[in-house]
Amino acid sequence: MANGTLVLLSCTAFSYVMNSMAPTAKLLKPYTGADEAVLVSTLCFVYLMLFSSPAFSKLSRGANGSMNSSGILISWFTGKQSTMKFLLETVLCVTGTYFGLFLLALTLQYFPVEGMSFEPLSASGGRYYGFVTEAVATFVIFGMDRVVKGISGAQTYILVSAAYVAASHYEGCTYSCTIINPASAISLQLHKEGLQGLFTLGVWEELFPYVFGALTGAVLLGLVNVLYPPPPPRPTSVENLKKTI
């Protein structure tokens, strides 16, 4: 099990870097001539690979597996952690995600990027289409991990990162922007409305697709994993080589 401090730090770093994609794309655009959406998708792929790589997993002692609150729920639902651990890591995930956003907003106060601000998420396709999009995306993206692991072993994180980037790029915020992480949506609301905002109906109407949609997809996938356990990871080429020596 991951150390609580490392979960908090990993979530903070992940949030800071992932939320920095838009301002970084704005800064890079004059030098690359590329479309901002393409730059954001490229940065997203690179950052996801870095944070989900075996190297970062080793550095964080497995805490990178708790950087997404949907993933935490799936782990608890499939019996990989206790209820207390699930609740603690969920709180740490939301807190760390908010800290990362807060630190980035503070950075941009001293090094401003023109036209850059952080606004709460609002599903363009409406609450119900947004709910379905988040539920399906969460189920498919996290479900790919169980399918791909049996095919590619240690390269799972590359293929899953590519699948997420492709889904979010082509969905293009038509319905929900394919967030699949309730902690990200909650942190943006906290940043804009403050803690008291979470006790208002209007805020939860906006959060509905991102929190309950993603959690529904996570629960459905957890149920599938319980009823039909995923295949064991395929040994990597290095592991196979070790067996022959």
Side-chain angles (χ1 to χ4, degrees), residues 189-190 193-205 207:
Q189 287 288 356
L190 281 171
E193 304 292 342
L195 185 61
Q196 69 274 11
L198 292 183
F199 296 96
T200 62
L201 180 61
V203 165
W204 281 100
E205 286 178 345
L207 285 174

Side-chain angles (χ1 to χ4, degrees), residues 7-245:
V7 170
L8 182 65
L9 291 174
S10 296
C11 290
T12 300
F14 185 63
S15 174
Y16 186 97
V17 171
M18 295 303 288
N19 281 298
S20 74
M21 292 187 299
T24 303
K26 283 183 178 292
L27 293 174
L28 290 175
K29 185 177 179 180
Y31 302 100
T32 62
D35 181 75
E36 279 187 33
V38 173
L39 287 171
V40 167
S41 294
T42 303
L43 290 169
C44 184
F45 178 60
V46 172
Y47 294 160
L48 283 175
M49 282 204 306
L50 288 173
F51 279 99
S52 57
S53 67
F56 188 77
S57 181
K58 184 176 181 180
L59 178 67
S60 67
R61 298 180 188 175
N64 63 333
S66 301
M67 295 187 305
N68 187 303
S69 47
S70 296
I72 296 172
L73 176 61
I74 294 169
S75 293
W76 171 75
F77 198 90
T78 53
K80 293 180 180 177
Q81 57 184 2
S82 67
T83 300
M84 284 300 297
K85 189 72 174 176
F86 157 68
L87 294 173
L88 175 62
E89 289 196 354
T90 298
V91 171
L92 290 173
C93 180
V94 174
T95 304
T97 302
Y98 171 73
F99 280 168
L101 180 63
F102 173 80
L103 290 173
L104 179 59
L106 195 62
T107 301
L108 291 175
Q109 286 184 8
Y110 292 96
F111 305 97
V113 176
E114 187 178 354
M116 192 65 239
S117 63
F118 299 106
E119 298 296 328
L121 294 165
S122 182
S124 302
R127 290 199 301 272
Y128 300 109
Y129 281 114
F131 173 91
V132 171
T133 302
E134 289 295 309
V136 171
T138 301
F139 183 91
V140 172
I141 298 300
F142 280 96
M144 279 194 67
D145 184 63
R146 64 169 273 149
V147 174
V148 176
K149 225 169 233 182
I151 302 172
S152 64
Q155 284 71 49
T156 303
Y157 72 101
I158 299 174
L159 297 175
V160 174
S161 297
Y164 173 78
V165 171
S168 60
H169 179 77
Y170 288 107
E171 189 258 331
C173 289
T174 302
Y175 299 107
S176 71
C177 296
T178 318
I179 303 301
I180 72 171
N181 186 1
S184 295
I186 292 172
S187 66
L188 284 166
Q189 287 288 356
L190 281 171
H191 178 71
K192 185 71 175 181
E193 304 292 342
L195 185 61
Q196 69 274 11
L198 292 183
F199 296 96
T200 62
L201 180 61
V203 165
W204 281 100
E205 286 178 345
E206 297 296 330
L207 285 174
F208 175 78
Y210 300 101
V211 174
F212 297 104
L215 294 183
T216 297
V219 168
L220 290 174
L221 180 60
L223 186 60
V224 170
N225 284 342
V226 169
L227 296 175
Y228 307 99
R234 179 183 174 185
T236 64
S237 56
V238 174
E239 289 169 340
N240 283 326
L241 181 61
K242 287 179 180 178
K243 290 177 182 178
T244 61
I245 296 177

